[in-house]
Amino acid sequence: MALKTNDPAFQAGREMRKALFGEASVERLDTADDFHEPLENYVTSACFGETWTREGLTLRERSLITMAICAALNRHIPLKRLVKCAVTNGATKEDIRETLLQTTLYIGVAGGVESWGLAAEALKEIDAY
């Protein structure tokens, strides 16, 4: 199996990954081995090429929604990435705070407190705190 570089959804996804997460995201994609190729094809095409590129929500809104989902699922690494991504896509510190406050109501205080701490770390790492 090889990366689906001729697939329009894959190409759109590759560009969206780069726009959202920078060159490192595309470098990881380009160096995928035969074990990871099916996953990278799927994620790049379905997630980034077909979903993140849809009309209906802004990239800022998609970033905040996805950030909230990562908080709810206790996904630390993606949460920090999505906080940074949200800022890149126009979200403010206040937007992130309000999204996490809303999320905390439904995921519980322990998960909320942990998510707020991770978000603060991410914001500080990009000088957006």
Side-chain angles (χ1 to χ4, degrees), residues 1-4 32-42:
M1 175 172 248
L3 293 176
K4 297 179 180 181
D33 59 24
D34 65 334
F35 181 77
H36 286 93
E37 283 174 351
L39 174 65
E40 295 296 354
N41 280 326
Y42 176 70

Side-chain angles (χ1 to χ4, degrees), residues 71-89:
L73 295 173
N74 200 27
R75 301 293 191 253
H76 296 181
I77 293 170
L79 173 60
K80 287 183 74 173
R81 270 192 211 126
L82 264 298
V83 168
K84 295 173 184 178
C85 179
V87 171
T88 298
N89 290 322

Side-chain angles (χ1 to χ4, degrees), residues 1-109:
M1 175 172 248
L3 293 176
K4 297 179 180 181
T5 55
N6 293 328
D7 176 24
F10 183 90
Q11 285 301 325
R14 187 183 189 321
E15 292 306 310
M16 182 59 70
R17 282 176 74 150
K18 186 176 180 180
L20 294 173
F21 302 109
E23 192 63 39
S25 176
V26 176
E27 287 172 10
R28 189 180 77 234
L29 174 64
D30 291 342
T31 60
D33 59 24
D34 65 334
F35 181 77
H36 286 93
E37 283 174 351
L39 174 65
E40 295 296 354
N41 280 326
Y42 176 70
V43 169
T44 302
S45 297
C47 178
F48 296 109
E50 295 176 3
T51 304
W52 276 84
T53 59
R54 290 177 55 85
E55 293 181 19
L57 294 172
T58 66
L59 290 178
R60 177 187 158 279
E61 292 165 333
R62 289 184 193 282
S63 298
L64 291 170
I65 291 166
T66 309
M67 184 189 74
I69 293 167
C70 288
L73 295 173
N74 200 27
R75 301 293 191 253
H76 296 181
I77 293 170
L79 173 60
K80 287 183 74 173
R81 270 192 211 126
L82 264 298
V83 168
K84 295 173 184 178
C85 179
V87 171
T88 298
N89 290 322
T92 64
K93 179 180 170 182
E94 292 75 20
D95 294 331
I96 292 165
R97 181 181 61 218
E98 290 303 316
T99 300
L100 288 175
L101 185 61
Q102 181 74 22
T103 304
T104 298
L105 178 66
Y106 292 93
I107 68 172
V109 172

